[in-house]
Amino acid sequence: MNAVPLWLIVVIKSAIVLFVVITTFAYSMLFERKVMAWMQLRPGPNRVGPWGLLQPAADAAKMLFKEDLTPKTADPVIYRLAPFIALFAAMGTFAIIPFSESPAGVWSVGDVNAGILFVFALTSIGVYGISLAGWASGSKFPLLGSVRATAQMISYELSMTMSVVGVLILAGTTSLVGIVHAQYRLWFFIPQLVGFGIYLITAVAETNRAPFDLVEAETELVGGFHTEYSGLRFGLFFIAEYMNMITVSCIATLLFLGGWNAPFGLTFIPGIVWFLIKGGLFLFFYIWLRATLPRFRYDRLMAFGWKVLLPVATLNLMATAAVIAAVR
Amino acid sequence: MTTQPSVKTVTVTVDGVSLSVPEGTLLVEAAKQIQEDIPVYCYHTKLGPAGLCRICLVEIEKMPKLQIACNTVVTDGMVVHTASDKTMEGRRAVLEFLLLNHPLDCPICDKGGECDLQDFSMAYGQGASRKVEAKVAKPKAVDLGPTIVLDEERCIVCQRCVRFDDIITQERSLVVKDRGHRDIIATSTEEPYVSDFSGNVTELCPVGALTSKTYRFKSRPWDLNRTKTTCTQCSVGCQLYVDERYGDVLRTMSVAEDETSDGWLCDRGRYNIGFYNDPQRIASPLLRRGDEWEQIGWDDAVALWARQIREARDTTGPESIGVIGGGRLLNEEAFLLQHLFRSLGVENLDWRAGRQTVATPVFSGTYEELEAAQTILVFGVPPSQTAPVMDLRIRKAVVQRGARLVTVGPHSSGSSVTETHVRRVADIPSDAFDAERIAVVFDGIDATPMRDLHERFAELKRAGKSLIGFIPGEQPNARGAEAMGMLPRDGGRGTREVFSAAKDGGIRVLSLFGVNPALRFADGALATAALERTPFIVLSELFLTDTARFASLVLPAHGPFERDGHVLDMTGRVQRLFAAHAAPGGALSDGEMLVALADALDIEIPSPSALTARARAPEKRAMPRGEIRAAAPGGEAALRVIIRSDIFAGGGTVYHDERLEELRPRPIATLHPRTAQALGVAAGDLVDVIAGDRALRGLIVRVADAASEGTIRVVDGLPGAPANVLFDGEEVQVTKLEPAAPLAAAGAVAG
Amino acid sequence: MLRAVIAGFVAILAGFRTTFGYLFVKKPTIAYPSIKKQHAPRFHGLHELRRYADGKERCIGCELCQIACPANAIVVVGAENTPADRRSPGERYAARYEIDELRCIFCGLCEEACPTDAIVLTPRFEMSDYRRGSFVYAKDRLLVPPQGGVGSAPDERPNGIPADLGAVAQQKSTVDIATGYDATWYGRALKTERRGLAG
């Protein structure tokens, strides 16, 4: 083991994780289109490859070959940089997410003891990608989109963090592996039902997905922050959005659904499978949500965030703290 | 005007509405006062009642049977029902008879959609026919003449066409032949129906029996885009509707309520519409390069024009620049034309490019006054060919109002009404001047009789008599051009002097607007020599005419229906033109050309609104000019040439209208039988008419009793045989061409 | 207040149930063009100009279809038959006959207006193309070719997919010919409803 230098191990691990994550992104997109189609009585993509399985490849080819436009009024450097910021932040979180555990160690690129803080730090940077993209585009619809993004992120990030703090109090650690271990007997979504609910809602809002996709509300803002983007750069935003979806699914699995812990003692199935099933369910929920609920009105979005979610999250946190203090 | 005797009025009740109408009014006219349209076929306001079709049946109280409204004179206390059940039943029965043998042609009939038979069948007919026998079949598409096709099956024998030919034109060539269901419209002589007003019968025909050849199956009435404008084929100024479809002018229709035309159109105005999209029409400015024409852009053309004008002015002075045109331009354009060139100091401005020398009569009158005249004096070329619709007024005055028609000069009018023809002014019967209302119609060419009668006219005027003058000239807007100032002032030269100067090389730049002096100028030899010697000639035209042979630069202009503006008719009334057809992309209106030229020459021009105001308010001042011509020498026995006008003569719009091929006059020399015998020629021979070193070659001899003895009559304005090489009334010799001679000559050369 | 919140929550759940339920419903989509749908018996498709049995055109260029057309899609210009060039039995024929199939709303009023049953609507419906201009069908494409017979009369339309539409992988009838109902799930639902109302 010592023959292999640490940096090489990290590189190999990163490569594997990136490959898996990108593949997951590609097929989660196809999965979304299929599920949405079925829910809307359509067959969905079915022309590229058997059952449309090669659709992601076709989409990628299309994105690559489309012309990359920069508007005359745009700030050229920031305009070109913004998608990379978004993508960097989305991908960075996978560096510390543990997928499973084996006797040899934890399945992750790097195990950080303040893992959950790292995740929040990175996802907060992600909003810069969107805000800068909208601002640098130099036209009004993207600017409106980016203003919305900023306001929405700040409003919902508070509630999200509060809902997670409940879990941290229960687990007594900020290490993701530690949190999973703490759920060996009881998954945290049971004691933290309210927190779980808040996390579900805020996670959707944080990833700008329907019904919280006001940032790119096409009926109002054409394309929102990415109106001016095309080709590969638009594709990067696309990837970032789905990466974020996967990230929050993984985090939800780790924090509330017991990570790779098997339910009902079904330990003969490997932990990674459980992890994937739980994450997949969460992804499906995302899509289901999108197919079911209409988009929020902006003022209601803000009112809901500040007047409902934040008080409830605060109460939940105080109650959890009180109970823990009483028990110990 | 004499005071009208006070008219007695009678009161009549029509459909419950009490009406007061003058005594003697026909019921059908009285009903129009309350918009109660009684259906009519044979009745026409201008043709009067005939009582043939019976469709206008109405119920009159105290009369046992239905009466025809068109021939019933209203009486005091009459009570009429135009829509009672009995009336409707009567009309239904009449329609059933009319439709017995009428074919179900409506889908292909040119009248379909504007047909009275269709309309009244819908309104009063019974829907289905009860007849089970086969309909009587008659010939369809019978060629009635060069302009008209007759469908004998469709005819309902209302005889409107026959009565038009009888009452209005007085030509009486159409008759009803046979009786019963076999009756058809035909000419009495079995000859083709030829008339200068033939197109009117297609409009009068209430069904689709008489249709125009030019419009046959071209369109349906509902497809047409209609524009009301003024006809500028001659100086009468008739209003007409122009019907256009997909960029093609398909037909023109008269305006029934128009006071100028009285609701009639001549065939020139009606049918000469096929030249707009002729492939030979010029579509871009043409510059002469040797014997070839080169297409150039407008910018280059105007720049070249402006440069030539500037150079000529700067080197040889403004008197070396000449401008001829205006008779075919709008008032706006004529004003702009003289304004532009006067700004350059050019005074050689004239509209006179043909035989006509004066356009504005000293005493103007209206057409209504002409109709009311008691004596009509016609000097020179009779108006039947130069202003045909005006001639209808004269015929009406003579036949319906009992006026006396006196024609003075070598031309007899050839009109279908009674006339007194005298050769000289001195021969005018003296009682002709005794009338209270006298109208003078003067061709505007030779002013000699006007000068001779000057004192006489002044005397009549002093005596308080009504004396009005008309000059039916050859150019449509000649009067407008005069009113806008297109005449030489302050020592400027007129057309004849310009040509004389040009012949000696005194003119460097000559701008011609819509004129064809090579074919039309009275002294053709002078015009040709002048045009040959002028180094730079700019010509604004639609086609490459005879004059274009001499031009250096030809500019494509807009045609009559492509213009928007104002003209003056011969009575001095301002008439409005509305564009009914889009000009080809490469053409500019004369006004636009002048604006471009003014721009290139840095000349300030009036604003469009000022220009329009100027065009609408012409100076009504007469210019008492006119050429005085010395009597042509020669004895009584000499053969003299008479140059006749023809409504279908011309080198431009008629010559390039393929629909009119049959109507264009042939180069014919008309002789009296005794004259022909004396000369030893027979009908059909080819002859040359020679005067000194000038000759008019290759004319076909026609012998007619109507021709005057000792004269040879030729047609003016034919591109193949330009009669302007001769002078009107000149003594000529005639040589007969042997048919084999050209061949023999060719053989001799070859040998 | 609380009741309203609960009711709203229940409503959202009901929505979730609905969308989830649709996952397992059979999809009505027909995989055109590999599977072609049976059109209705009186379907209005691409136009056709018919001929008489002797090969003469039925159209007499009367322009009644043009004026009947509510979409202004038809242009007809008539001309006169000459003995040397006789196109139709009467005096007049259509020198120009054009239909802009993009403007056409396939209402069939031209067919009704035609006095000679010359213009008819066939069941052909596949006319997609890349240029707008190619949707203006002139006589060269509308008129039945001389060897193509006389065309089909409006009251005897062929009830099936025309053979010249290309390869048809499978004809899948979604129309219940007897009653005219669409035979997909939605059509069945309608039918059931109707039956319920009747019974």
Side-chain angles (χ1 to χ4, degrees), chain B residues 105-110 140-141 151 154 216-220 222-223 245-246, chain C residues 60-64 66-67 74-81 91-92 96 115:
Chain B
D105 261 355
C106 300
I108 63 158
C109 177
D110 277 339
K140 297 183 88 70
D151 190 313
R154 294 183 193 152
R216 191 163 163 79
F217 298 157
K218 285 275 196 312
S219 178
R220 307 305 305 263
W222 55 78
D223 293 324
R245 185 190 186 196
Y246 302 145
Chain C
I60 52 171
C62 71
E63 306 185 18
L64 291 184
Q66 172 173 353
I67 194 67
I74 308 182
V75 166
V76 186
V77 176
E80 190 168 5
N81 278 313
E91 291 169 88
R92 178 172 175 150
R96 197 172 144 204

Side-chain angles (χ1 to χ4, degrees), chain B residues 355 517-526 528 641 643 689-697 714 716-717 721-728 730 732:
Chain B
R355 295 176 187 279
L519 184 65
R520 292 297 207 167
F521 192 64
D523 189 347
L526 172 66
T528 311
V641 66
I643 299 180
V689 182
I690 298 162
D693 57 345
R694 292 164 287 120
L696 181 59
R697 297 187 186 281
V714 298
D716 193 17
N724 64 349
V725 298
L726 306 173
F727 294 104
D728 197 12
E730 194 178 20
V732 290

